[in-house]
Every structure is written in structure tokens, then in C-alpha cells.
Amino acid sequence: MNYFNFKSKRNLLFLFLAWVLGACSEQAPEDSASGNSMTAGSGAASGSAMAAREPVLGIRPVADEAVSIDMSRIHHPDLPQIFDYIDANIDQHVMNLQRWIQQPSISNTGEGIQESAYMVEGFFDQLGCQTTEVYDVGVTEWGAQGNPVVYANCDEGQEKTLVLYWMYDTMPITQPDLWVAPPFEARLIEQPPYEKVLIGRGANNSKGPQMTQLNALMSIKAITGTLPVNLIIVAEGDEERMSIGYRKFVRDHPELFEGADAMYRFGRQGSISGSSEGSVFVELITSGEAWGRGPTYSNIHGGRKRAVDAPAWRHIQMLNTLIDETGNRVMIDGFYDNIEPLSELEEARLREAAADMDLEASAQRLGVARYISDDPYEVLKMSRYGQSMNLDGIWAGNMFEGGSGAILPNRIVSKHNFRYVPNQDGMDIVNKLRSHLDSHGYEDVEINVVGDVPWAKMRYDTDIAAAVMDTFDTFGIPYNDPIQEMESIIAGPYWPAYLFAGDVMDIPIVGGNAGTGGNSHAANEFFVIEGAGNVYGMAGGEKSVALVLYNYAGLNEPSSD
């Protein structure tokens, strides 16, 4: 095994974590079991220990929600105490998230990645896991160095073992002027209908949902001294780079996941999902050097275009061969081959969900003018079982908005993600792309594969899925029943589920909890702190995580008396 071994940096980071996690220096000694610290308690918390400090942020654990927990469905005596503890300490729990947001962790640039990995390891140490390690995964199969993977094993002596999947990396900031608050400040603002949301990069994708999990775990341990299940936690730093390091880590170390019964991933309110679409990400590169025309070494003055060929125009002409005039159909020969049709049951579930869909309101929430289709069923089908080629970005030459500056670029790069479904194959799509380019006279255009995340189907007639559905029922959260009669993919957005859905392990997977956020990968990413209407805030989310674990462990059954 190859570990990061920067002990001096690690010691400094642990000192930093003492502050990050609300350390004992900020509280009275007799308050050591309080949620003001993320140090786990050693047993059931007393009433005095459950008393939090005076509110710092003034967060309302129950705000403007129109929904509430049906306490008649809460049977284990620990759970009301855990819920009260969460309410009493919600200010500190929100501050835990703020401090995590304030640590950048941008995988595409490397900013803050090593610091973030050790910060996450500190979280798992605070949880009391017996084994915590930051792994250097080395060079991955597509040639790039993988970012560290953080691993923890928390043996609670329980019957069942859950894997928790985390990602600590985020997207970069691409439009800073559009943010209403600095993206790494973690400011609380009003955003109707919510009195308080947290604005910040990673707030929704995915530090908010993951801190919700961690706060819940710490609250359980503060009350009971133990967790209802054993945990194996794996946190990757490459999710926004096609999970290249995570893929290598899991394949290199299957022994670290022996004994796992199921995976529970962070989720959002009303969504029950463990499956995933496929996605392969490539860069297309056109250069004067490879083409044999235009600038060959560097950009040159744009005035030279009068007598010199332009690789940039060639690149645009090449891209134009890949899609139709709408930009919505891929023109690569064979791209739509091997698609497994949806079953009658899957079609019926999509039509059922489409019946309640308001396209105009949905488009407004997403921040788009309209969808491709005006038919809710077609929109849902495209969203959950569609295939696409996107232009994620393109750069060359003068990249400064406004002003002038004549440049004839020598090299143009465009980024593209292909979304695909069963039984398509990501590397087969890359091969077909290569054949397409060659047949259209673009043999010189280079394809750089960034990574591939294959699709994964999932069943939902499992104990872990039942635990989430029971939690949603208890919290009054509406949801579309997942298909339980067969493996399905229609509920799953892209994420690296495949590694635990048959590639290395084959265990049940599900995500889902109360609470939500929005604007992932966009400006003003947010996480709901105080709920409103049918949406729970962060405290409700933490309580739902606790209930999922108790449900899965079989500890919340009604008394037989």
C-alpha cells in the first residue's frame, strides 16, 4: 500500500481541525459531549451535556416546513434523544459545513486537494474510526495522477456493515462575477422560499449532504456511544475528473471492502437512487503542428490570418460533423447501436412521473429557457435514459472577454462528455469517434480520454432501500416508488456506482435523505439550511440519516407488546 506520508503537514492539519470541528478550547470542560464539538461521546448524553452554547447563527432546526416527522413511527428510544440533540446543536453543525466549504478542493486544478484529504481524514478520526488512511493512488490508467482517496473503517461490533461513498472534490469557479457571495465564504442568505440557505462551491455537490451525514453520525455517538451499523467510508478526490483515482483504488484494494453488506450514498429529498448512467469524457485537440498548416509552435498575430490557415476554424468545422443542426443528435456512425430498450414497467413509471411534472416550473428552477421537448414524458425519458454529446468547454487564443487583441491560435482544445446507457460501452464510443474523425479527413485531431464511468443498474427490493423508503414515509416526503421487480437504471444520474454494482463488489446501493440544495456546477450553488414548505432543512436531513441507519439495522421495529 502507498500512503501519503507528510507527517509534519498532517500534524499541522490536525491542529487546524481542532478549530474546524469546534474544538474543546472553545467550550467548557463539562461540555465535552456537546455537539459543539465533533468528538464522539462515550455514552448516553445527560440532559446537561445536551445543552448547547448560546446560538451563534440563530438557525431554526424546524423553520417554515409544512411537513413534520410522524413520531408515532419512531419506536427506538434513542431516536427522540438524537433528534433533540441535533436541534440543540444545529448552529455548530452548520458551522461545521461552513468551515468545510471554506477549504477549497478543486480536483481539476489541484487547489486545496491534499489539505482537503487530510481534513476529511480528520473527520473520520473524530468519528472514532479505528482505521483512517489517506492513500496515494498513483498514476491512473489514462495517464493522469489520481488525487488522494480517504478510507476509514469503523467497527462498531454490529451485525451489518454499510459503505458510505463520499467525494470531497468540487468543480472550479468559472463565472465568479455571477455569484451573490464569494464561493468559498459559505455565507448564509435568504433565498425565497427559504429563510436561510448556504451559498458556496460544493454546498450541494456534495459537502452539504455529506456533512449532514457526518453530523448525524456524530450525534448518534454523542447520545449512545456507538453506531447502529459498522461503517466503511471511502471519500474520493476525483469525482469531477471521472473518478479516475477512485476507480484505481477500489480495483487495487478490494480486500478493504470485505464484509460490506450494502452502500448508502448521500442523496436528496424524495430521490431513491443507486443506479447510474454511463459517461465517457474526452478532449479533442486540433493543432497546426499535427495538421501541417497554420501556426506550429505558438499563437501568432491575428493579422497573419490573411495569408495563414487557421486551426481554430478547422476545429469548428470538425465539431460540426459530430452533431446535427439542432445540436441534439449525435452523428457518429453507430453511436445509437446496442441500446437496451426500456421495459414496459420502466416506461409506465416514467409516464406516471411525467403526469405530475410542470415543465415550465421545472425549467425555471433549473435556470433554462425551456427543455428540448414540450412533452413531460419525453423530457423525463431524455433526462433519465437519454444519450448525448455535450460541448463542455473550448479554449484557444484570446480568452479575455471584452477589449481586443488579434491572435491566430496554434492549438484548440474542446471538452466533451458523452452520456450513454445499457448496453452501450464508453470505450466503444471513443473508437467510433476516432473512426468518424478519420473518415471525415480529421486524422490529425487528437482524442485525449479523460476517463470513463460505465453505467450501472440497481434493484430496490433490498433492506437498505426499504430503510430509505420507510424514512421518507415517516417524514411525510413524497417519492416515486423505485422499480423493485427488476434491475433498473432510470432513476440514476452519473456517479461511479459500477464499482460496487458488479465491477469489484456487487452489493445493494441506495441514496436518499431529507433536505436538498441546487445549482450544482453553476453559480450560486446552495444548500438549504432552514426548510420551507415540503422541504426539510439541515436538521431534518440529519434526523433522516439517523433514522435510515436505525431502520437498516432493524432497531426501529414496533414493540411486540
Side-chain angles (χ1 to χ4, degrees), residues 284 315-333 335-336 372 387-392 414-419 429 432-433 436-437 440 442:
L284 297 178
H315 194 87
I316 291 171
Q317 290 170 338
M318 175 271 296
L319 293 180
N320 196 47
T321 71
L322 296 170
I323 44 87
D324 71 358
E325 65 277 4
T326 70
N328 298 324
R329 182 167 180 83
V330 181
M331 301 304 291
I332 299 171
D333 287 345
F335 178 78
Y336 295 99
I372 293 171
Q387 308 85 42
S388 64
M389 175 188 178
N390 188 48
L391 174 57
D392 296 88
S414 56
K415 287 181 175 286
H416 307 272
N417 79 82
F418 292 86
R419 301 296 167 125
I429 290 172
K432 289 173 177 174
L433 172 62
H436 174 95
L437 295 177
H440 285 74
Y442 296 103

Side-chain angles (χ1 to χ4, degrees), residues 286 295 298-302 311-312 394-401 404-413:
T286 300
S298 72
N299 301 334
I300 63 174
H301 196 288
I394 185 168
W395 67 96
N398 186 342
M399 299 294 291
F400 302 99
E401 187 173 356
S404 62
I407 290 177
L408 177 54
N410 73 303
R411 187 173 186 269
I412 301 88
V413 181

